Amino acid sequence: MARARAGTRIRTRTALLSVLTLLAALVSLQLTGPAPRAAAAPTAFTHPGVLVSQAQLDYARGKVQAGQQPWKAAYDDMMASSYASLSRTPKPRAVVECGSSSNPNYGCTDERQDAIAAYTDALAWYFTRDSRYAKKSIEIMDAWSATITDHTNSNAPLQTGWSGSTWPRAAEIIKYTYDGGWAGAGRFATMLRDVYLPEVISGAETKNGNWQLVMTEAAIGISVFIEDRTSYDKAVSTYLARVPAYVYLTGDGDLPKPPANSSIDTKAEIIKYWQGQSTFADGLSQETCRDFGHTGWGIASIADIAETSRIQGQDLYPKIQDRLRQALGFHTTYENGATVPSWLCGGSVKKGLDQVTEVGFNALHNRLGIAMSNTQKYTEAHRPSGTDNYFNAWTTLTHADNPS
């Protein structure tokens, strides 16, 4: 009997130790792993909150009303553009087909420019409080949401990214600031969810980096408008992996980081992917030796995504600010006239960064206090920024020296 009781006590102690060991393992798992996600969607999304916040709009509107520069000139430039025309007729198409370099071009230019017009009219509404602009923006968005079903051909992901980056900016302003109502907002959200989001969130790892960056910008903006936390998180993860594979820092080692989930991993493959460039310096981009125009698109999306994340309370600038600062400084140095060294792109670069620096410059220089003399010189010399007719539009008006 005593031996039986002793055996029972041993088994009880053993079971208790097993339970305690399991509990300890669970506690350890909570404390040390798996690693938490680098960023997450906010518990509640901020609206309007794609690229520009209401506080930023109010700041810029106040500057325009006071006739202050550069905002007044930027506003006048926007209002004088064809994008602000109240006689504009949208040109929606059920299937937008875009080949390489938009050839064929079946609705590609129309879609991009209608999206910019919708955004322009949304801004015009906010600055003037003239309901005609809000109604025109709604007319354009409703026309497309009633029509489009797909994007096809080789440039479909890029085209979807360009237009998909701009639509949510317009939709956010109209839905959350226009007191006249927007009956078609739900259908527009369905369009973004069903036609655009699946295309842009799918990834483009082996394409030039501006593709995946603008696709990710679109995915982030769409996720905010439709309040999709899962897609937002996925897009942020893609972004945080893509930025280091697009802008080089010496801390990366002898070679740039390859794109995540790609087959590009050997030295020869990485150099080929970086346009044949084999010497690397802080701020060099994967597309620098292709041309500064495509590089500027990539840099713009890096800044735009970080700006939206900051508005949403999940600030990604601290994670990418060194790469963004170096990329802006590197390319504006040569845009400003510096001699191109022989080791860079064979001693010759194709300039044309375009008006893509306002958002990043304002965030890093004005809000964070980082000295950026080359970027400042370039940015101020190119004010007021207009639009590239793709997805960058009116950033001097919305972001120049904007503290909000």
Side-chain angles (χ1 to χ4, degrees):
M1 181 66 72
R3 283 196 299 272
R5 286 196 296 269
T8 299
R9 287 195 296 272
I10 290 171
R11 287 193 295 273
T12 300
R13 285 198 298 270
T14 300
L16 181 60
L17 286 171
S18 297
V19 172
L20 292 173
T21 300
L22 178 60
L23 289 172
L26 290 172
V27 170
S28 176
L29 182 64
Q30 289 181 327
L31 292 175
T32 63
R37 288 177 297 187
T43 302
F45 287 98
T46 298
H47 303 291
V50 175
L51 184 61
V52 61
S53 68
Q54 187 156 358
Q56 288 173 316
L57 290 170
D58 287 340
Y59 176 85
R61 183 171 184 256
K63 293 295 186 180
V64 170
Q65 289 178 326
Q68 296 185 20
Q69 303 296 355
W71 304 274
K72 182 61 167 60
Y75 169 79
D76 289 342
D77 189 39
M78 181 186 77
M79 296 301 292
S81 75
S82 62
Y83 291 110
S85 172
L86 290 171
S87 62
R88 184 183 189 88
T89 300
K91 299 177 181 179
R93 182 182 287 261
V95 177
V96 175
E97 182 180 355
C98 307
S100 179
S101 299
S102 294
N103 183 22
N105 184 340
Y106 298 134
C108 314
T109 300
D110 292 337
E111 181 188 28
R112 293 194 308 267
Q113 294 190 359
D114 275 351
I116 293 173
Y119 178 51
T120 302
D121 287 326
L123 289 172
W125 142 252
Y126 199 88
F127 280 77
T128 66
R129 294 301 196 270
D130 184 338
S131 64
R132 293 178 300 164
Y133 291 104
K135 291 175 181 176
K136 178 57 70 172
S137 182
I138 289 170
E139 176 191 337
I140 296 169
M141 290 190 284
D142 282 352
W144 279 90
S145 68
T147 307
I148 190 168
T149 60
D150 200 9
H151 297 86
T152 63
N153 215 317
S154 59
N155 260 31
L158 183 59
Q159 172 72 21
T160 312
W162 284 331
S163 301
S165 292
T166 311
W167 286 128
R169 301 175 197 166
E172 283 280 300
I173 294 172
I174 294 299
K175 182 176 179 179
Y176 292 100
T177 72
Y178 177 51
D179 53 9
W182 178 17
R187 188 178 68 193
F188 191 80
T190 298
M191 178 194 78
L192 293 179
R193 180 184 293 107
D194 295 347
V195 179
Y196 289 79
L197 187 58
E199 186 76 55
V200 296
I201 206 163
S202 60
E205 288 83 2
T206 59
K207 295 288 188 180
N208 285 305
N210 81 87
W211 277 55
Q212 191 164 37
L213 286 165
V214 79
M215 290 165 65
T216 303
E217 180 179 351
I220 290 277
I222 291 168
S223 297
V224 170
F225 185 69
I226 67 175
E227 300 196 328
D228 185 334
R229 301 184 75 252
T230 300
S231 294
Y232 187 99
D233 286 350
K234 183 176 181 180
V236 167
S237 295
T238 299
Y239 173 74
L240 292 177
R242 189 50 153 174
V243 174
Y246 194 68
V247 178
Y248 175 81
L249 291 180
T250 53
D252 296 336
D254 293 337
L255 292 171
K257 296 179 181 295
N261 305 314
S262 77
S263 60
I264 301 169
D265 54 10
T266 69
K267 179 178 180 179
E269 288 171 340
I270 291 173
I271 289 174
K272 180 180 179 181
Y273 185 60
W274 282 62
Q275 323 298 325
Q277 180 70 15
S278 58
T279 301
F280 303 97
D282 284 333
L284 184 79
S285 162
Q286 179 259 320
E287 296 188 87
T288 298
C289 293
R290 181 188 184 188
D291 59 64
F292 281 20
H294 287 89
T295 300
W297 282 346
I299 293 171
S301 286
I302 290 173
D304 291 352
I305 292 168
E307 191 72 2
T308 294
S309 76
R310 186 189 65 86
I311 295 168
Q312 295 303 324
Q314 303 288 335
D315 193 349
L316 295 175
Y317 276 116
K319 298 180 183 297
I320 57 88
Q321 69 182 46
D322 289 343
R323 293 183 194 272
L324 178 58
R325 175 176 66 89
Q326 294 288 355
L328 287 168
F330 184 92
H331 293 89
T332 55
T333 294
Y334 299 110
E335 288 283 355
N336 292 339
T339 301
V340 179
S342 59
W343 60 263
L344 177 61
C345 311
S348 176
V349 296
K350 186 177 180 180
K351 298 180 185 179
L353 193 63
D354 211 350
Q355 301 161 48
V356 299
T357 61
E358 286 280 17
V359 176
F361 174 68
N362 182 59
L364 302 182
H365 176 71
N366 295 322
R367 288 201 299 254
L368 296 180
I370 299 172
M372 300 173 69
S373 57
N374 281 301
T375 305
Q376 181 171 3
K377 179 180 178 180
Y378 179 86
T379 302
E380 292 177 350
H382 288 79
R383 286 175 173 167
S385 63
T387 176
D388 60 10
N389 302 312
Y390 286 86
F391 71 104
N392 294 295
W394 322 125
T395 51
T396 297
L397 176 62
T398 56
H399 287 82
D401 303 331
N402 199 318
S404 299

